[in-house]
Amino acid sequence: MKKHILFSITIVFLAFITNAQEPQDTTQLEEITIHGNRITTPIKEATNDIQILTSEQIKQLPVQTINELLAFVGGVDIRQRGPFGTQADISLDGGTFEETLILLNGIKLINSQTAHNMLNLPIPLEAIDRIEIIRGAASRIYGINAITGVVNIITKSSEKSFVETNIYAGSGFQNQDPAEGKGMYVGGGVEVTGNVGTEKQQHLFSVGQTMTNGQRYNSAGQQTQLFYLGNVNFNSKHSLQLLGGYNHNSFGANGYYAAPGDINSMEIVETALVSLSSKHQFGKFTLSPRISNRYDEDDYRYIKDKPTIGRSKHYTNALMVEANGSLKIKIGEFGLGWESRFEMINSTNIGTHDRNNHGIYVEYKGVFWNKLYANTGVYVNYNSSFGWQVYPGVDLAYRFLPHWKIIANAGSGQRIPSFTDLYLNQLPGNIGNPLLMPENAWNFGGHIQYATQKITAEIGYFYRDITSFIDWVRDSITQPYSPINYGHMNIHGVFARIQQSFVIKNDHKLGYFIRYNYLQPSQRSLNGKISKYVLESLKHQLMAGVHYSYKFFSLQVTNRWIERELNTPYNVLDARVAFQIKSFQIYADASNLLNSNYIEAGAVPMPTRWFKLGLKYRWK
């Protein structure tokens, strides 16, 4: 631990020495707006803990998938079961992967079968403009399954036409398992994103394809992603948006769910997403109706060459209808709306089930004395299986000096059990519990922030208390896992972040970031039971990175030190070097340079040292 802290301190020391030379920062502070369902908020008026991955930061990081990208955000825990975007669980601030909500341009992407498929998304990385991560209770805004926070993926939109391509390939230079063939483990992909834009219409198209023969026995995979976003502006007050996407993801699932018996298993997951929405301005009132649908097929084969043994097929659909509105008056801005969600599943080992979820909500945003920002509201939810629940919440921010702001939050939330939690019958590995009740939570937090054009620094604390906490357990290794409700599950957490970017001299630019999170969950008495996920819970997370650029050259080096509950800590060092030649960029990525052996989820060893070479081209 000491050497990782020393590495981080060294980065800060060097950065401040360089900054002491009084460089001139020519970068203009971007006026970023946070996109909620109803009320949009300038980042300077934000009343909760928000991190933003901008398009520039996304380009700098040595990643090719959303899964890899989110692993560099403080407080975000990405537990990958395989490389190249095959499958990953996401959680925020020590929560479970069922307690975090994913949005795409504000569309909820809940998978009611299981959150293991939450990140099976039809969005190539090149189509993303930025990602907003809202940490803390968000149920008063977004409803169910937002106990620990929200990740909102926002795609590109431009009035200018362009085409971007990205082609890459890589290898760890390790020989394949003899049972699979000769040669090395390799992988690669291609992404093409194009936009046809005018003042009245914008049409974004994107396609991505990745293929790999894996990085160990039975870990090969391929993924196809198709995405379209269209926007038509009839005039300055009325517009129409159409979104559609498809993702096909197949991969060897060695060790994913039932190790060691699942060494020859495989899984095929398909997702189709469509949304039609519009936005209308009537004086000071804005109305945004939307209808969206997510359809998933999940085909799991316990023995891939013998599909009649232990095969599970799931067909899940979620139709959502909503209307969001906001009204600006002298005393502030009110957001209000309604949404209904209709879920169904038809499965070989879960059965056929359906349920409905309906919510109404109101929120208020106001500014007092030009220093105090308040955002409060309540969400009233009805679920056809679990009845009524109310989620109140309040967020406050006070700017006591020009660059200093203190923020405090309190809010409640609820996590509805998935169909897998309730009804799965997958003996001998896992069996559901139809008597499960929803998790109910209260979150309290606060942090202090210092922000200028050159530097942003934050430090904070949060506390979460969950009743009826759900965990998968078993009595012995010969028994199946099954979920149960515990009593209270609480967690204390602290975090600190600092990032800075500046011009050293002429075209020499330097930037760095350091992010640290510490989590202390309550000690749960399992009474001799074996937990499926407790070993994967995050405890320490330390990230540090440096970015340097000079004219056409750039270098990004990042380091992540992770310690999980009752598990061995590991360190992952990654780097990207890039050369920009007019409209072309040539880059090389090196992942896990220290060749660490580590596991993030299940019984899946992550890749050792891996190298990639890529070429990007942008045509305007």
Side-chain angles (χ1 to χ4, degrees), residues 261-274:
D262 61 351
I263 188 172
N264 289 304
S265 65
M266 72 169 295
E267 190 168 7
I268 303 170
V269 184
E270 296 180 81
T271 298
L273 180 68
V274 64

Side-chain angles (χ1 to χ4, degrees), residues 242-435:
L242 175 63
L243 180 149
Y246 170 77
N247 188 48
H248 181 281
N249 192 7
S250 62
F251 46 86
N254 177 8
Y256 277 34
Y257 311 112
D262 61 351
I263 188 172
N264 289 304
S265 65
M266 72 169 295
E267 190 168 7
I268 303 170
V269 184
E270 296 180 81
T271 298
L273 180 68
V274 64
S275 170
L276 178 64
S277 61
S278 61
K279 187 174 183 179
H280 310 277
Q281 185 78 39
F282 304 100
K284 297 181 179 181
F285 179 70
T286 301
L287 177 65
S288 301
R290 176 164 56 204
I291 181 171
S292 59
N293 195 85
R294 174 171 178 164
Y295 174 77
D296 293 274
E297 291 187 9
D298 186 353
D299 183 359
Y300 176 76
R301 305 173 187 182
Y302 186 71
I303 302 177
K304 59 183 179 182
D305 297 327
K306 299 178 180 179
T308 58
I309 300 176
R311 186 176 185 180
S312 306
K313 299 188 71 174
H314 317 281
Y315 305 91
T316 310
N317 196 78
L319 173 66
M320 188 166 179
V321 183
E322 58 186 304
N324 303 302
S326 65
L327 176 65
K328 293 183 178 180
I329 57 178
K330 289 184 178 180
I331 62 172
E333 185 173 1
F334 287 88
L336 64 162
W338 145 83
E339 60 184 19
S340 291
R341 183 180 179 86
F342 306 92
E343 300 175 337
M344 62 79 62
I345 188 169
N346 184 359
S347 167
T348 57
N349 60 8
I350 293 179
T352 300
H353 305 276
D354 63 82
R355 65 188 182 194
N356 305 326
N357 199 85
H358 309 279
I360 56 173
Y361 34 84
V362 61
E363 65 176 316
Y364 166 75
K365 183 185 78 170
V367 181
F368 305 92
W369 311 292
N370 293 322
K371 291 184 177 182
L372 178 63
Y373 307 96
N375 198 321
T376 185
V378 62
Y379 189 110
V380 180
N381 191 77
Y382 173 76
N383 185 276
S384 59
S385 296
F386 301 104
W388 293 91
Q389 185 70 9
V390 179
Y391 319 131
V394 59
D395 305 319
L396 299 171
Y398 182 70
R399 188 175 295 279
F400 57 93
L401 288 173
H403 301 297
W404 289 88
K405 185 168 64 173
I406 187 169
I407 294 173
N409 318 95
S412 70
Q414 187 179 56
R415 195 271 268 196
I416 302 294
S418 68
F419 287 132
T420 294
D421 290 331
L422 295 166
Y423 308 115
L424 181 65
N425 184 8
Q426 194 181 42
L427 293 173
N430 305 282
I431 186 167
N433 179 1
L435 300 179

Side-chain angles (χ1 to χ4, degrees), residues 153-278:
I153 302 166
I154 299 175
T155 54
K156 293 179 179 178
S157 179
S158 175
E159 295 181 0
K160 298 180 180 180
S161 298
F162 63 85
V163 175
E164 295 179 331
T165 62
N166 181 21
I167 303 172
Y168 59 92
S171 174
F173 302 105
Q174 299 289 325
N175 292 328
Q176 285 184 267
D177 190 287
E180 294 184 302
K182 299 180 179 179
M184 296 183 300
Y185 286 118
V186 297
V190 58
E191 296 180 5
V192 180
T193 299
N195 185 72
V196 179
T198 66
E199 183 179 356
K200 291 290 186 180
Q201 298 187 38
Q202 300 88 42
H203 300 276
L204 178 74
F205 304 86
S206 191
V207 58
Q209 177 71 54
T210 59
M211 296 185 67
T212 174
N213 61 1
Q215 48 94 14
R216 65 188 185 105
Y217 178 76
N218 190 27
S219 60
Q222 60 176 338
Q223 184 170 199
T224 303
Q225 296 170 306
L226 304 172
F227 182 76
Y228 165 76
L229 176 64
N231 182 73
V232 178
N233 300 310
F234 298 108
N235 51 48
S236 61
K237 297 183 177 180
H238 303 281
S239 61
L240 181 70
Q241 298 82 36
L242 175 63
L243 180 149
Y246 170 77
N247 188 48
H248 181 281
N249 192 7
S250 62
F251 46 86
N254 177 8
Y256 277 34
Y257 311 112
D262 61 351
I263 188 172
N264 289 304
S265 65
M266 72 169 295
E267 190 168 7
I268 303 170
V269 184
E270 296 180 81
T271 298
L273 180 68
V274 64
S275 170
L276 178 64
S277 61
S278 61

Side-chain angles (χ1 to χ4, degrees), residues 122-134:
I123 316 149
L125 201 61
E126 295 297 314
I128 297 175
D129 178 67
R130 68 184 184 276
I131 299 179
E132 301 169 352
I133 300 94
I134 304 173

